Structures are given as C-alpha cells and as structure tokens.
Amino acid sequence: TSGNTWVDANVFHPLPSGEKDFDLISIAAWARYKRHWALFRAVARMRAMGRAPKLALVGYPLDLTQTDILAQARIFGVDDLIAIFERRTPTEVNGILNRSKVHVLCSRREGVNRAIIEAMAAGVPNVVREGFNYGHHYAYINDRTGRFATEQDLPRVLINMIDNYRQYSPRDYVLSFMTPEAST
C-alpha cells in the first residue's frame, strides 16, 4: 500500500448530473516535473487533426505558477481551450472530475500518483504516459481503467478515449482493489 491506496471513495465518486463539459482533465501541481507542456503539445496536435478538446487543469503552485502554466499553453496555441482551477478542496476536485471525460498524467516519474486513483474513484478513466515511473507497469491502468500512451501516440489515444470513455469502469476497479479497505 501507499499514498494512492488511501483515496476516499466516499469523497471521490460519480455525481448524478453526468454533464461532461470538459474532454480532458489534468490534476497536477504547477511544477516542471508534471510536464504540462507535453499535454499542451498533444492538444495542439489534436487541434490540427480537427479536434479542439476542452481541458480542465486542477493544481496549485510548486516551482511554477498558474501564469507560467498558461504561458506554456500559449506557446502551443491552446490557452483558449483551458479552464484553470487552483487550490480546490477534494469535494470541488470531485465535482470537476465529474465534468470531465478523461484524466491525463504526463509526468515521467513521481512515485504513486494519487490523482490517478481519485479520477478512477470518480468514474473517470486515465491516460498515463507509457514508461511512467522508470517503466514500472502500473497494474491499475488496464482495460477497465484506461490506457498508456507514448508522447507520439498521445493525441490519437486521447481522441479514442474521449470518444469511448463510457466503455471504461474505473470506479468498479477502485472499489475492488484500491480502497483503503481493499488494500489493507
């Protein structure tokens, strides 16, 4: 067990409204190692392919600020597709997750990411960078919960996930294997 096995599935859960006004969500501190620019590059490539996904960014400052993140987005010409939410409570984060189709994590390494499990508990599938965490294969990213993607195929994987997010059942997986009760 580790930090990501202590996500409270009573706080992170599907809400009845079901309205999805964000295609993608990234829950990540404003930090270089979170590699927001890689997501922005993929979104710019998606736009060039005729798709313009709405993106929710949820985070807080570490070694970057919200202004820095938006400046990165402007470099890729996708700042108009982004809504930023800073320093939100877990309940507010759950609400934003419920408005989103797919959670994306672009970091290369960072340990056991809690946002992946928060998204899954809220019923939102994940796209995680192939080779994340020095190549450790996270068993909880699977056919039920999401997909891995290389940086080259990230735009195509995101489009596929956005179009097919209803085919995943990440909450069921979390309740079976990732809750504090199941972990202990």
Side-chain angles (χ1 to χ4, degrees):
T1 64
S2 60
N4 68 355
T5 59
W6 297 99
V7 170
D8 188 343
N10 296 308
V11 173
F12 293 94
H13 59 87
L15 296 174
S17 69
E19 179 64 32
K20 304 281 189 184
D21 56 338
F22 293 113
D23 297 300
L24 304 171
I25 182 170
S26 177
I27 303 171
W30 315 140
R32 285 177 178 83
Y33 76 94
K34 293 292 190 171
R35 303 176 76 243
H36 288 86
W37 64 267
L39 176 57
F40 301 151
R41 181 175 64 189
V43 169
R45 288 173 54 204
M46 291 169 71
R47 181 177 255 173
M49 297 163 71
R51 299 291 288 263
K54 298 283 286 174
L55 174 61
L57 299 179
V58 180
Y60 53 91
L62 276 185
D63 64 337
L64 298 174
T65 66
Q66 183 179 139
T67 302
D68 297 324
I69 297 299
L70 285 172
Q72 289 179 10
R74 270 191 296 284
I75 289 168
F76 291 96
V78 298
D79 54 310
D80 63 315
L81 301 176
I82 294 172
I84 288 203
F85 303 90
E86 187 169 270
R87 296 185 192 269
R88 299 303 168 117
T89 67
T91 300
E92 291 171 321
V93 173
N94 183 62
I96 301 163
L97 276 164
N98 273 269
R99 295 170 55 192
S100 306
K101 296 175 184 174
V102 179
H103 176 257
V104 186
L105 181 69
C106 288
S107 349
R108 287 188 178 186
R109 60 191 180 281
E110 65 175 83
V112 287
N113 181 274
R114 189 180 69 239
I116 295 170
I117 309 308
E118 291 171 351
M120 290 178 7
V124 179
N126 286 277
V127 174
V128 175
R129 186 184 181 280
E130 182 78 37
F132 175 68
N133 249 7
Y134 303 99
H136 173 74
H137 183 76
Y138 280 28
Y140 48 84
I141 301 299
N142 56 53
D143 291 342
R144 294 171 61 189
T145 64
R147 292 183 52 191
F148 291 100
T150 66
E151 291 189 28
Q152 291 73 32
D153 69 3
L154 183 57
R156 287 186 304 281
V157 170
L158 290 175
I159 289 169
N160 182 272
M161 290 286 294
I162 290 166
D163 291 346
N164 297 293
Y165 73 94
R166 288 183 183 95
Q167 296 178 8
Y168 294 86
S169 55
R171 182 168 173 82
D172 294 341
Y173 183 87
V174 165
L175 294 178
S176 296
F177 301 107
M178 297 295 293
T179 62
E181 296 81 8
S183 297
T184 55

